[in-house]
Amino acid sequence: MKFSVLVPVLALVSAAVVSAQPFQLEKVQGKTILLFTPHPDDDTFCCAGTLALLAKQQNNIHIIIYTNDDKGSSDLTMTSERLAKIRKAEEEEASRIAGIPKQNIHWLQFHDGMLEYASPKDLVEEVTKIIRTYRPHVILSIDPGSETVRWHKTDHRMAANNTADAIRAAEWHLYFPNHRLHDGLEPWKVPVEAYYYVTPRDANYWVNIDEVADLKLDASLAHVSQWAPSIDKYRPDWDPKVREALKQKLKARTPKKDGHAVEAFRIATGFNQQ
Ligand SMILES: [Zn+2]
């Protein structure tokens, strides 16, 4: 058998072995996982359940946040500086609830809404360097989208495409060769890419979060400033009745599949290599 014929046969055998044990995102154990998020809350809203399950499995999870979210308030007495501090504390609390310590949260410190005005080359290099430094088994990132990209918020568009571009650059040593030559960072091909904020049409994987669904609601509500009444007139606490009413409302809106609370992802299966 010619080698060129043998290779596809071996690939088929290998694929059969792999398909006998389908990949399960929530079962990943003892690995390094990076989550890239445009704002401090998208990571919570998309994935707090999955993160909580992965944290229980002794994974080393790091959250990389592109912006400081210093614009999201209708309170006319709020300032960007104050809001950035509030958002940082809220993100740390939400992450704590999910089982991720604050030292594992990394802020790239762009201003809210301004990510698209950053230098694209500098931004992709910065994220490429983070990937080469941590060498993650899994990256979670916002889906560039076949439809949603048209209506993503500005930071969402930029973060989605930038992270996808950095994942690609990280595996080829001739992109940003200074990382290797000056910093000793070797290229890294990310084994698993899982994209969140995915359309129902594009989703191809659902994590059952039944056992941590309540925890996810608490993590979401830790972003106090992003919900009424605090978004209109900031207060750091809640009227317990208002909080409980919102929690029940969010609970009713939890995405379900086959009767289970789920978080949806698009796991890269090669479509991203075109
Ligand atoms: Zn966002």
Side-chain angles (χ1 to χ4, degrees), residues 37 77-78 123 149 212 267:
T37 178
T77 67
M78 182 59 75
L123 194 60
V149 70
V212 287
I267 293 183

Side-chain angles (χ1 to χ4, degrees), residues 38-39 41-42 153 156:
H39 304 112
D41 62 16
D42 296 305
K153 287 173 71 180
H156 289 200

Side-chain angles (χ1 to χ4, degrees), residues 50-191:
T50 302
L51 291 173
L53 294 172
L54 290 169
K56 284 185 191 180
Q57 302 261 99
Q58 284 80 47
N59 290 291
N60 177 28
I61 304 170
H62 291 263
I63 310 287
I64 294 94
I65 304 176
Y66 278 99
T67 72
N68 63 1
D69 216 11
D70 60 351
K71 303 288 193 288
S73 176
S74 303
D75 184 342
L76 293 177
T77 67
M78 182 59 75
T79 65
S80 286
E81 290 77 9
R82 183 171 169 230
L83 185 57
K85 282 185 192 157
I86 290 168
R87 297 297 293 122
K88 183 167 183 285
E90 290 174 348
E91 169 68 11
E92 288 174 356
E93 173 61 8
S95 298
R96 185 194 65 74
I97 292 169
I100 299 163
K102 66 180 175 186
Q103 60 267 29
N104 286 27
I105 304 173
H106 310 273
W107 301 82
L108 302 190
Q109 291 290 3
F110 288 91
H111 291 289
D112 194 0
M114 297 293 120
L115 198 59
E116 273 181 304
Y117 310 108
S119 157
K121 187 181 164 203
D122 290 348
L123 194 60
V124 82
E125 175 166 7
E126 186 172 3
V127 171
T128 300
K129 190 169 186 177
I130 291 168
I131 295 168
R132 287 174 173 167
T133 300
Y134 283 93
R135 304 170 74 79
H137 184 70
V138 179
I139 284 185
L140 304 164
S141 186
I142 184 166
D143 196 296
S146 55
E147 296 170 353
T148 53
V149 70
R150 293 181 297 171
W151 296 109
H152 267 321
K153 287 173 71 180
T154 162
D155 299 325
H156 289 200
R157 291 193 297 263
M158 188 68 172
N161 286 315
N162 189 74
T163 309
D165 290 347
I167 289 170
R168 184 164 296 121
E171 75 172 283
W172 302 98
H173 73 96
L174 294 177
Y175 280 96
F176 311 116
N178 48 313
H179 292 173
R180 184 162 185 265
L181 298 174
H182 294 174
D183 302 317
L185 297 172
E186 295 296 330
W188 179 250
K189 180 164 173 46
V190 179

